[in-house]
Amino acid sequence: MIRDASSPVPSLGKDLLGLEPLSTDQIQLILDTAEPFKEVSERAIKKVPTLRGKTIVNLFYEASTRTRIAFEFAEKRLSADTVNIAAAGSSVEKGESLVDTARNLEAMRIDMVVVRHPSSGAAAFLADRIASNVINAGDGWHEHPTQGLLDLLTIRDKFGRIDGLKVCICGDILHSRVARSNIWGLLKLGAAVAVCGPRSLLPRGIEELGVQVFGRPEEAIEWADVLNVLRLQLERMQGGYIPSLGEFYRVFGITQERLDRAPRDLLILHPGPMNRGVEIDSRVADGPHSVILQQVTNGIAVRMAVLYLLAGGTPERADVSKGEG
Ligand code: CP
């Protein structure tokens, strides 16, 4: 569903902290605004002057390939000035706090901070304490809103809608900020949502969010139009959540053999990075129904849209026809 152009345009406010606080209209606004930005990345000269003069800091306290680089590409393609700061090699190693780091950056007259942090709530904590726009690039187990948005855009690209689709999120739901952003976004846009994984990797009370729970991937595959397969977050696991990786793959792995028994072709998403042969079979990840690399491509357009809207842009003025020579 595309947002009704005659309805008043909602604003995103100062920050993007998650999909839970956003309205259906705000989520649709971001997805619709991403559409014209897709084409910028297909040009020989991948640049528009939209955010010329803005300074954006990418502040990453955790490892990232896709999110950090997609934000950086999005910023550069919008002509913003960007600086990347990783915790390693910065004064964070000397004990400087998140807020002190951000306030020092603000003293250098920045406009936006994109932050990834291992603690849930870190982005909101920062947003309450600095004047710059804050974008959550993943905070602990809480939310990863731009990943949720790019997943929604990729599903909408394939089906032309989100409303009425059945989407099952598979694997390690407990430790996953991607699962939480997907659940909020999908439910707000009218999808039916399920989760599938071992009980030890499902948050207690997950059903109360309005999602169905499957204990076996065969049931999920029978039910769903879309599977979003999540990585086993081994770095977040302190103890024995699963007997072994081999056992997890045998019982919960999304394999070609399991998909061959599906009543329909299922769209396959994975936010990356993938553990091939753990949560997903390579034949599925690289197969004809996988949109894993389209997700990565859409990640740039979605982040361009978020940056543009937080900078005060409106969809009517998202004129990307003027490139930069
Ligand atoms: N999907 C995702 O967040 O990947 P990165 O950790 O590489 O950014």
Side-chain angles (χ1 to χ4, degrees):
M1 184 168 49
I2 306 279
R3 196 180 59 82
D4 178 0
S6 64
S7 59
V9 177
S11 136
L12 285 195
K14 173 178 160 291
D15 311 297
L16 177 69
L17 303 176
L19 297 193
E20 181 182 6
L22 295 191
S23 67
T24 303
D25 277 354
Q26 287 173 314
I27 294 173
Q28 279 175 345
L29 170 70
I30 299 169
L31 301 185
D32 294 348
T33 306
E35 290 296 341
F37 285 123
K38 285 178 181 172
E39 184 266 327
V40 174
S41 293
E42 305 306 323
R43 297 181 188 174
I45 298 173
K46 301 170 178 55
K47 218 169 182 66
V48 288
T50 315
L51 292 190
R52 187 182 279 158
K54 296 283 183 195
T55 303
I56 305 175
V57 175
N58 301 314
L59 185 55
F60 277 63
Y61 286 73
E62 262 188 6
S64 169
T65 297
R66 280 146 290 272
T67 310
R68 189 182 63 74
I69 293 174
F71 266 112
E72 194 177 349
F73 276 139
E75 292 153 5
K76 287 190 154 85
R77 288 174 192 181
L78 292 171
S79 302
D81 295 315
T82 70
V83 178
N84 293 318
I85 303 175
S90 75
S91 288
V92 172
E93 288 192 330
K94 301 176 193 163
E96 187 166 61
S97 72
L98 172 64
V99 171
D100 277 339
T101 299
R103 285 188 178 146
N104 277 270
L105 295 169
E106 282 205 307
M108 297 183 223
R109 304 292 179 252
I110 61 167
D111 298 293
M112 295 188 189
V113 178
V114 177
V115 62
R116 169 169 289 193
H117 200 280
S119 301
S120 300
F125 183 80
L126 189 61
D128 285 344
R129 286 162 180 80
I130 63 173
S132 306
N133 306 102
V134 174
I135 301 173
N136 181 5
D139 61 331
W141 303 5
H142 172 229
E143 281 224 39
H144 190 349
T146 56
Q147 180 69 47
L149 289 162
L150 74 89
D151 291 344
L152 291 171
L153 186 63
T154 307
I155 296 170
R156 194 176 78 167
D157 282 352
K158 279 288 164 195
F159 291 93
R161 65 190 166 92
I162 305 284
D163 190 31
L165 291 176
K166 294 177 185 168
V167 182
C168 185
I169 305 165
C170 302
D172 180 359
I173 313 298
L174 180 67
H175 301 102
S176 177
R177 53 199 177 206
V178 175
R180 285 168 184 76
S181 289
N182 264 267
I183 290 169
W184 291 120
L186 287 161
L187 289 175
K188 283 171 198 256
L189 295 197
V193 183
V195 294
C196 176
R199 266 284 159 196
S200 58
L201 292 178
L202 298 179
R204 192 172 303 164
I206 183 93
E207 298 89 341
E208 286 158 28
L209 296 182
V211 307
Q212 201 170 334
V213 175
F214 292 117
R216 297 172 57 244
E218 292 79 4
E219 295 170 324
I221 287 168
E222 170 86 21
W223 175 83
D225 302 303
V226 179
L227 296 185
N228 197 345
V229 187
L230 302 182
R231 180 173 73 89
L232 267 192
Q233 309 230 347
L234 299 168
E235 75 278 16
R236 297 191 199 277
M237 294 185 195
Q238 305 293 327
Y241 287 92
I242 51 168
S244 70
L245 298 184
E247 183 77 356
F248 180 82
Y249 184 64
R250 195 178 63 73
V251 179
F252 288 100
I254 303 303
T255 62
Q256 192 59 53
E257 289 73 21
R258 289 196 163 106
L259 290 179
D260 285 343
R261 283 182 234 119
R264 63 190 80 81
D265 291 334
L266 273 72
L267 193 71
I268 304 294
L269 288 85
H270 191 304
M274 280 185 279
N275 296 308
R276 291 171 182 262
V278 177
E279 69 267 359
I280 192 165
D281 178 349
S282 274
R283 285 178 297 161
V284 176
D286 303 328
H289 305 297
S290 165
V291 286
I292 293 170
L293 293 178
Q294 284 98 309
Q295 289 173 264
V296 177
T297 305
N298 277 340
I300 297 179
V302 154
R303 287 165 179 127
M304 289 170 89
V306 167
L307 294 163
Y308 170 74
L309 291 167
L310 288 179
T314 59
E316 289 73 22
R317 296 180 59 204
D319 180 9
V320 296
S321 56
K322 198 165 78 160
E324 281 214 333

